Amino acid sequence: MTTEANAPLRTPVAASRLPAVGTTIFTVMSALAQEHRAVNLGQGFPDFDCDPRLLSATEQALRSGLNQYPPMAGVPALREAVAAKIEALYGHAYDAGGEITITAGATQAILSAILAIVHPGDEVIVLEPAYDSYEPGIVLAGGTPVHVALQPGSFRPDFDRIAAALTTRTRAILVNTPHNPSATVWSAAEMQRLADLLRPTDVFVIADEVYEHMVYDGARHESVARHPELAARSFVVSSFGKTYHVTGWKVGTVAAPAPLTAEFRKVHQFNVFTVNTPMQHALAAYMADPRPYLELPDFYQRKRDLFRAGLEATRLKPLPSAGTYFQCVDYSAASELSEVDFCQWLTREIGVAAIPLSVFYRDGREQRIARFCFAKQDATLRLALERLARL
Ligand SMILES: Cc1ncc(COP(=O)(O)O)c(C=O)c1O
């Protein structure tokens, strides 16, 4: 007889909600980089610290007793600062009370937006190459990701293909500009094309704009918030992690019309409920000075140019990098390896970690392109370039 005393311990098997998901390539490459003491230009994060003024503001918040639950939607001063910034930069006045929510980074914002609007059986258009969190979010909501490739070579949106992918089941489209991994930036004309295409539909837009302050060569960021027709159907997502060099803080924002925000907050409320209080106060205080984000394009453009100039001396061909802190290269003159193999070889043998572009596609297509992150100290970039010159 099986009794409590002699019963084997029994762990039920979980039928996976995400059977296709494994450890992300970013984790794999970072571990490989550490193992081989490679310069890690793979995962997208700075190897330098944030502004000491932001740290002082955080310390002040921590020491002033701002350590209990904040309001569910976020600290009012931060929501007001975000609304004011969006209005100043993009001309759309969101109501800080009912249209701005502070989130635990952009990843949670995107997942919560998807869970708020996608029903089982709905289709969601994902433009590939795509950031890796989109697809699992859609699958968790019971939706079907519909992949549409950006144009090969230029990585610009292909509106004929997007139009062909729209069906009566399409619930949303995910748009990411500036774009990870290709470093392209949507133009005003492309935003207009999107608005024209969606006008007769009830399709929502989830706009991933985490790199909004990294647009180079005098171009401007075309936020969907600039475009009233698009803003009316959009969740606009951003991340303080990218803008203020604090990727580990995981604080982001969502701006959306009041009825969409109300649905978003229903999910947010029972997902994270609130985001840590002292960082929100610190960010609100720090945002009073717009210079850190207004000066970010110059700061990163200089690093981009340093890195690109160095690549000239290698067998890697840099593709255009109009925004984000990523630089893709065509390595076909240097190697015939597949993208995953090349990036692993580069990490092990040359001592520089990169990310294969193929992992951003569901079908893992090969284009002999690898992605580097240049959000690094100049000395780090120079060391990487020295090693890459040996290729
Ligand atoms: C396109 C894109 N969206 C979202 C995120 C996630 O942002 P967060 O760290 O705020 O969750 C990243 C981070 O790499 C990203 O590249």
Side-chain angles (χ1 to χ4, degrees):
M1 194 178 76
T2 307
T3 64
E4 187 185 337
N6 67 8
L9 297 178
R10 178 171 175 152
T11 302
V13 176
S16 182
R17 298 286 312 278
L18 296 170
V21 169
T23 310
T24 74
I25 186 76
F26 308 103
T27 308
V28 171
M29 292 307 298
S30 284
L32 198 67
Q34 212 166 11
E35 190 190 330
H36 294 274
R37 296 176 175 230
V39 182
N40 190 357
L41 304 191
Q43 204 173 357
F45 61 87
D47 72 342
F48 45 86
D49 209 355
C50 63
D51 187 338
R53 289 183 301 151
L54 181 54
L55 297 179
S56 304
T58 309
E59 190 182 350
Q60 201 180 343
L62 283 161
R63 291 194 187 281
S64 338
L66 296 168
N67 296 304
Q68 308 309 325
Y69 291 131
M72 183 269 283
V75 164
L78 183 56
R79 283 187 274 140
E80 277 154 24
V82 170
K85 187 198 81 168
I86 295 176
E87 185 169 8
L89 293 185
Y90 311 133
H92 188 100
Y94 286 99
D95 167 36
E99 298 187 316
I100 303 280
T101 309
I102 307 304
T103 62
T107 311
Q108 184 247 321
I110 293 163
L111 177 62
S112 296
I114 292 170
L115 290 173
I117 55 168
V118 174
H119 295 250
D122 286 352
E123 294 173 357
V124 180
I125 297 178
V126 175
L127 306 177
E128 282 191 324
Y131 183 62
D132 64 346
S133 84
Y134 303 160
E135 170 148 357
I138 297 163
V139 172
L140 281 177
T144 305
V146 175
H147 299 92
V148 176
L150 295 168
Q151 295 180 46
S154 71
F155 298 103
R156 306 232 64 93
D158 182 333
F159 287 98
D160 292 337
R161 279 171 177 251
I162 298 172
L166 282 171
T167 73
T168 52
R169 286 168 173 243
T170 308
R171 180 69 65 188
I173 178 168
L174 272 145
V175 170
N176 172 214
T177 181
H179 183 246
N180 174 15
S182 75
T184 50
V185 172
W186 281 40
S187 67
E190 285 164 336
M191 280 295 167
Q192 184 60 50
R193 289 281 308 269
L194 183 68
D196 293 343
L197 198 60
L198 299 186
R199 190 169 302 124
T201 76
D202 284 324
V203 171
F204 297 106
V205 177
I206 299 175
D208 180 345
E209 302 188 3
V210 299
Y211 300 104
E212 62 178 318
H213 299 297
M214 297 173 210
V215 174
Y216 310 128
D217 307 314
R220 69 175 206 180
H221 169 55
E222 292 300 331
S223 174
V224 296
R226 283 190 194 278
H227 209 292
E229 255 189 300
L230 288 173
R233 58 173 76 227
S234 294
F235 296 86
V236 189
V237 175
S238 191
S239 171
F240 291 108
K242 309 291 178 188
T243 304
Y244 290 150
H245 318 305
V246 286
T247 59
W249 284 19
K250 300 298 290 186
V251 185
T253 60
V254 176
L260 299 190
T261 293
E263 288 306 314
F264 180 90
R265 288 182 184 171
K266 288 182 192 173
V267 176
H268 177 80
Q269 171 162 250
F270 296 112
N271 181 350
V272 291
F273 180 46
T274 58
V275 175
N276 77 77
T277 307
M279 264 69 171
Q280 291 195 58
H281 283 282
L283 287 164
Y286 189 64
M287 280 188 80
D289 181 1
R291 282 174 302 177
Y293 56 80
L294 294 180
E295 290 169 2
L296 204 60
D298 284 349
F299 173 79
Y300 272 127
Q301 184 170 324
R302 204 191 52 75
K303 288 192 181 293
R304 179 201 65 171
D305 292 346
L306 183 162
F307 190 54
R308 285 176 70 86
L311 286 172
E312 294 302 326
T314 75
R315 287 200 290 162
L316 303 173
K317 184 176 152 238
L319 306 185
S321 172
T324 74
Y325 46 44
F326 298 116
Q327 172 65 61
C328 287
V329 297
D330 177 336
Y331 66 80
S332 51
S335 170
E336 302 206 326
L337 290 172
S338 74
E339 292 179 7
V340 170
D341 289 349
F342 175 74
C343 289
Q344 292 191 345
W345 174 83
L346 197 70
T347 308
R348 267 195 241 103
E349 305 299 327
I350 304 294
V352 181
I355 300 290
L357 210 73
S358 57
V359 302
F360 295 87
Y361 289 91
R362 185 197 34 160
D363 65 8
R365 73 188 57 180
E366 292 290 338
Q367 300 170 92
R368 302 241 168 87
I369 296 175
R371 188 202 77 178
F372 292 113
C373 170
F374 57 77
K376 306 292 168 188
Q377 297 171 51
D378 291 359
T380 311
L381 294 174
R382 288 203 181 92
L383 177 61
L385 287 165
E386 230 173 82
R387 294 182 178 185
L388 293 172
R390 285 191 226 135
L391 260 176

